[in-house]
Amino acid sequence: MGKLLGLIAGGIGVVMLSYYMVSPLYSPLINLLGPYLGYGLPLLLGIIGLLAGNPIHYYAIMISWIIIGIIVGISTRKGLRAMGTSILLYSLTFSFMILVLISVLDITSYTSAIPDITGRVERILSILPNMIPYNVNLIDIKNEPLISTIYSIIIAAIGKNNAVALNPETSIYGSSGIFNYSLVYPIIINIIENLAIVILVSGVIASLFKKRHKGMARAEAIIVVIITLIVISSFFVIPAGINHANTEANSANNLNNVGIQASINIITENGSLINTVILAQNSTNINSNIILAASILSNNLTYISNSIVHLPISGNLKKLLSMVPSGLFVVVSKNNYTLGSDGTSGILKNSGIINPQLLLAYNYSKYKLYVYGQDINESKYIKNVINNYNSNLSMYNIIKKYDSENFRSSALIYGYGNYSLLLGGNKTSDNERFLAGLFENPSVFHSSGKYHKINMSDIIGYNSTINFNGTVSAIGVIYPDSSNSKTSINSIFYSNNKNFVSILNESTNTTYYNTQNFNPDQSNISFNYTFPAYLYFNVKISENNHVATVINEVQNRDNSTLYYLNISEDYFIENYEKTGSLSLISGNSDIHNITLKTGEYYNFTYKIKLNGPGEFVIPYANISYNMDNKSFNLHSQEYLIKSPNEKLITVYNSALGSFFKILGINILAESIFANITIFDLIILLILILAIFIEIKKRNR
């Protein structure tokens, strides 16, 4: 009975530690897929990570197996019996993983399994791109146990023989096809390490509880030593590495003799303000083998794309931008050039991207493309990078005042490259160092009357005189204007370059000034345009026992009355209902044809049942109304509903219940009381009996 006791107690340990210790390592993936795959997903991922995750890299996995080994060892109290029990337990854990998978995929019968799975996957993929939480990115998911290897397989499959997934200089494709030894090897090593840990610990612990014959003790000691050597040797196995790019750029953060400096500012039709600053200078101190080397730091790219009206990007692609890591490092080099391995000099050193991970490497014709990424504190690094630059130019003073923490979204790109080669030319001398920033704030301009007179210092965020030096210096504002009853896109530019001014002269809606300096505090732009109303909109969310209460609040803070106000979150409800992720319990997720006078307040509430863990995304509330004889159709920002994990006993019984349903023995899954099923009761009775017998044997 000692072996049975060890098996049951160890099995309970496997389930509990998988759920509570290992599954948190998969939080980003659970946040992304939990709403669609249900409450069993954390347990499934926890078991997968426990079995095949790297115990050296993820301490939660190692600690879990040590605890399980201790439980098995104490329960069995004999060295060889404990080791055998550990091997059996490890094997049965794979079987239990299959049961949980059946529950997660909601397979009800063997005959309909494939059509059910295919249909469910299709429904999930149809809505997933629009429902990606804004705080989930590719690097977080890629760093989860086993995901890195799976990601490598996917990238390799996409790129075929041109893709480099694990090592930038070696394709993972070999004579054995996509499932190359280099891909399978890390997983096999992880499985062996985890098995070795539980065998070793259980054997040692059990050996402390019972005296043995000398020969038996010697045999157990030899086995323990062999397993110990295997575990220790695995610490010295070098996994497939990632070569970090060495851009070999000296003084990459000096921009004094700039050839081009420009500040272009956009007032969008929905009232957002987008500020851009560009600095570039010709440079000869650039490695001729590097065509482009650039660091990109970003924050909320999706919002930038949504602020620009008529941007030719599909909705799904815009949403996928939210998964782009906040720190990217892109290198385009000649095909015969091998990147360095230290990754510490030049642009990469100054980027704040101190531990980049290879996301993509692609060989095409005579060029190589490398894309590295890291999730960073983008607002901190954007400010630090700007401050670390050394420049005496007035335009640099503008970008220095832009603190990305004060903007809803921002992006900074800096580096160097040969624009001629990049565009297909052949001039090796066309090398440029550059620094460019883009910063966006929503709802800066509201209607409050059609006529607007705005000081330029309020637009560019700088009120001192700007000297125009370099080949091209320019400051401009692009804005909508409906003075002639028809909306047009107008612009006003100041520049020191006559050729640049002559190009602008071709546009009939552009006002330009050829000058050597510019004082924004003494310049204004005036125009007529009805921007969206000054409308306060907020969503309050509370969750209790997997039921979320959503309260929408709206207030008219504008000077004009809003007519036919419609606010709808039906898109959110309908999409999740397609996959069974939630259900509307009470209330309405929309309002129609409301008149809202200045200062008036309105709210509406609804409740939803959440059928999975993770983050449910309200991508936007669709808001439409009429004001001053003009119709508006806008989207709010994104909101998240956090759904916690379910109780372990509920998840466990759900997994077993799905299996019993397929076998046609539903009676074992019937609940008796407090989520305890008949099968649970049987296991509990066996466990009590085993403990009683072991205690009796011990006393004897």
Side-chain angles (χ1 to χ4, degrees):
M1 291 300 287
K3 191 172 184 178
L4 179 60
L5 177 60
L7 202 59
I8 296 176
I12 294 173
V14 166
V15 175
M16 293 185 65
L17 293 169
S18 296
Y19 198 66
Y20 293 114
M21 281 197 69
V22 182
S23 69
L25 298 175
Y26 289 94
S27 292
L29 194 60
I30 293 172
N31 288 337
L32 179 66
L33 298 179
Y36 312 101
L37 297 179
Y39 292 107
L41 181 62
L43 180 58
L44 175 63
L45 293 176
I47 293 174
I48 292 174
L50 188 67
L51 288 170
N54 188 333
I56 300 170
H57 185 69
Y58 303 97
Y59 295 127
I61 296 175
M62 178 181 289
I63 293 172
S64 296
W65 282 121
I66 290 174
I67 295 174
I68 294 168
I70 293 173
I71 294 173
V72 173
I74 293 175
S75 301
T76 55
R77 299 195 322 279
K78 287 185 179 181
L80 287 178
R81 185 166 66 183
M83 294 178 186
T85 303
S86 296
I87 295 173
L88 180 59
L89 174 64
Y90 201 83
S91 303
L92 291 176
T93 302
F94 279 96
S95 301
F96 182 69
M97 180 184 69
I98 301 300
L99 298 185
V100 179
L101 179 63
I102 291 173
S103 174
V104 168
L105 296 179
D106 197 23
I107 298 174
T108 55
S109 68
Y110 294 115
T111 56
S112 63
I114 294 179
D116 288 347
I117 294 173
T118 303
R120 190 173 187 189
V121 170
E122 289 178 351
R123 290 191 297 272
I124 292 174
L125 292 179
S126 68
I127 71 170
L128 180 61
N130 292 318
M131 301 296 187
I132 298 174
Y134 58 75
N135 56 357
V136 172
N137 73 66
L138 188 60
I139 291 294
D140 290 338
I141 294 176
K142 181 180 178 294
N143 285 338
E144 295 172 350
L146 289 184
I147 300 298
S148 179
T149 301
I150 297 173
Y151 177 85
S152 299
I153 296 174
I154 295 174
I155 293 299
I158 293 174
K160 301 298 182 183
N161 291 321
N162 291 320
V164 186
L166 294 178
N167 188 311
E169 302 304 328
T170 307
S171 172
I172 64 167
Y173 278 84
S175 57
S176 59
I178 187 169
F179 294 104
N180 189 282
Y181 174 76
S182 62
L183 289 177
V184 179
Y185 174 72
I187 299 176
I188 295 176
I189 289 295
N190 293 343
I191 292 174
I192 293 174
E193 287 175 349
N194 292 322
L195 177 59
I197 290 171
V198 70
I199 292 175
L200 172 62
V201 174
S202 63
V204 170
I205 295 298
S207 299
L208 300 175
F209 277 80
K210 188 176 180 64
K211 293 182 179 179
R212 300 161 306 282
H213 296 294
K214 188 177 295 184
M216 184 66 71
R218 187 178 295 112
E220 291 180 5
I222 292 173
I223 294 174
V224 168
V225 169
I226 292 174
I227 294 174
T228 302
L229 291 174
I230 292 174
V231 173
I232 293 175
S233 64
S234 68
F235 279 78
F236 298 95
V237 175
I238 301 176
I242 294 176
N243 289 343
H244 296 165
N246 174 7
T247 62
E248 303 178 12
N250 298 320
S251 302
N253 58 344
N254 288 330
L255 285 169
N256 291 319
N257 301 316
V258 171
I260 300 174
Q261 56 174 343
S263 170
I264 301 175
N265 308 274
I266 304 171
I267 300 175
T268 69
E269 294 182 20
N270 61 13
S272 297
L273 176 62
I274 299 177
N275 303 110
T276 68
V277 177
I278 303 168
L279 305 173
Q281 75 173 34
N282 188 267
S283 178
T284 58
N285 188 23
I286 291 179
N287 190 315
S288 60
N289 291 299
I290 299 293
I291 300 171
L292 174 68
S295 289
I296 305 170
L297 309 181
S298 63
N299 177 31
N300 293 332
L301 285 178
T302 304
Y303 287 130
I304 294 177
S305 67
N306 288 338
S307 290
I308 303 176
V309 179
H310 308 309
L311 192 68
I313 301 178
S314 68
N316 289 354
L317 184 56
K318 286 182 182 180
K319 193 61 186 167
L320 288 173
L321 287 174
S322 65
M323 293 194 70
V324 174
S326 51
L328 286 178
F329 183 60
V330 180
V331 179
V332 179
S333 69
K334 293 181 180 178
N335 205 23
N336 58 357
Y337 178 66
T338 301
L339 293 177
S341 59
D342 60 4
T344 58
S345 65
I347 299 167
L348 189 56
K349 179 180 180 181
N350 298 314
S351 67
I353 307 177
I354 57 177
N355 185 29
Q357 300 181 44
L358 184 67
L359 297 178
L360 176 66
Y362 197 85
N363 300 332
Y364 178 74
S365 184
K366 55 184 179 181
Y367 302 120
K368 291 180 181 179
L369 168 66
Y370 297 86
V371 180
Y372 293 84
Q374 182 183 359
D375 188 25
I376 61 173
N377 184 331
E378 63 283 338
S379 61
K380 171 185 174 183
Y381 280 117
I382 286 178
K383 191 65 177 177
N384 287 348
V385 167
I386 293 173
N387 289 335
N388 286 336
Y389 262 78
N390 179 17
S391 178
N392 56 13
L393 298 160
S394 296
M395 295 282 189
Y396 174 65
N397 293 328
I398 294 178
I399 197 172
K400 279 190 69 173
K401 291 182 68 67
Y402 291 162
D403 188 342
S404 57
E405 292 181 348
N406 296 326
F407 292 85
R408 181 176 69 168
S409 52
S410 56
L412 189 76
I413 177 171
Y414 61 103
Y416 66 86
N418 186 301
Y419 60 87
S420 176
L421 295 177
L422 193 62
L423 297 176
N426 55 13
K427 291 185 179 181
T428 57
S429 60
D430 290 342
N431 297 316
E432 294 283 341
R433 297 192 188 281
F434 54 83
L435 169 68
L438 186 153
F439 305 86
E440 179 259 6
N441 254 338
S443 303
V444 176
F445 304 100
H446 307 284
S447 62
S448 300
K450 296 181 179 180
Y451 178 74
H452 304 274
K453 183 177 181 180
I454 307 171
N455 188 263
M456 287 288 288
S457 64
D458 294 328
I459 296 176
I460 68 174
Y462 189 73
N463 58 8
S464 299
T465 300
I466 300 170
N467 295 317
F468 284 177
N469 47 8
T471 305
V472 176
S473 293
I475 289 182
V477 179
I478 301 172
Y479 57 94
D481 190 0
S482 56
S483 300
N484 298 322
S485 71
K486 183 179 180 181
T487 300
S488 61
I489 303 300
N490 291 359
S491 61
I492 180 170
F493 274 88
Y494 301 82
S495 176
N496 68 340
N497 188 286
K498 293 182 179 180
N499 293 328
F500 182 74
V501 171
S502 65
I503 295 174
L504 295 177
N505 190 34
E506 297 177 3
S507 173
T508 56
N509 295 324
T510 298
T511 302
Y512 59 88
Y513 299 92
N514 188 198
T515 181
Q516 297 300 314
N517 55 63
F518 171 67
N519 189 335
D521 200 37
Q522 298 178 4
S523 302
N524 299 297
I525 61 170
S526 301
F527 59 96
N528 288 317
Y529 188 77
T530 302
F531 287 109
Y534 186 11
L535 188 68
Y536 169 80
F537 179 78
N538 187 43
V539 176
K540 293 182 178 179
I541 298 169
S542 60
E543 184 276 336
N544 181 35
N545 197 26
H546 306 294
V547 173
T549 302
V550 182
I551 303 174
N552 292 268
E553 303 174 326
V554 60
Q555 183 183 28
N556 182 7
R557 297 180 178 179
D558 207 273
N559 295 332
S560 301
T561 299
L562 307 185
Y563 298 96
Y564 306 108
L565 173 64
N566 301 305
I567 302 177
S568 174
E569 290 169 0
D570 292 344
Y571 177 82
F572 154 68
I573 301 292
E574 292 169 358
N575 271 280
Y576 278 118
E577 282 182 335
K578 291 178 183 177
T579 57
S581 301
L582 60 74
S583 56
L584 183 64
I585 298 176
S586 63
N588 294 311
S589 57
D590 55 11
I591 57 173
H592 297 285
N593 299 328
I594 303 297
T595 298
L596 207 62
K597 297 180 180 180
T598 300
E600 284 188 341
Y601 174 90
Y602 195 89
N603 70 73
F604 61 99
T605 303
Y606 59 92
K607 291 185 177 182
I608 50 177
K609 174 67 175 176
L610 308 175
N611 298 326
E615 294 178 339
F616 288 74
V617 180
I618 303 178
Y620 56 80
N622 191 37
I623 304 172
S624 63
Y625 55 87
N626 282 8
M627 180 185 67
D628 295 342
N629 298 319
K630 182 178 180 180
S631 298
F632 293 88
N633 197 330
L634 307 169
H635 287 169
S636 74
Q637 68 181 52
E638 177 181 302
Y639 296 91
L640 295 180
I641 302 175
K642 179 65 177 178
S643 176
N645 290 346
E646 184 59 272
K647 296 177 182 178
L648 177 56
I649 185 66
T650 303
V651 176
Y652 172 79
N653 286 331
S654 176
L656 292 177
S658 298
F659 179 65
F660 292 145
K661 185 176 182 180
I662 292 176
L663 297 180
I665 47 178
N666 296 339
I667 188 172
L668 292 178
E670 290 185 5
S671 179
I672 303 175
F673 61 90
N675 291 327
I676 302 296
T677 65
I678 294 178
F679 181 80
D680 297 334
L681 187 60
I682 293 173
I683 295 297
L684 182 61
L685 292 175
I686 294 175
L687 180 61
I688 294 173
L689 178 63
I691 294 174
F692 175 76
I693 293 174
E694 286 300 311
I695 293 175
K696 191 172 182 180
K697 286 174 61 178
R698 180 79 173 177
N699 293 335
R700 186 183 306 162

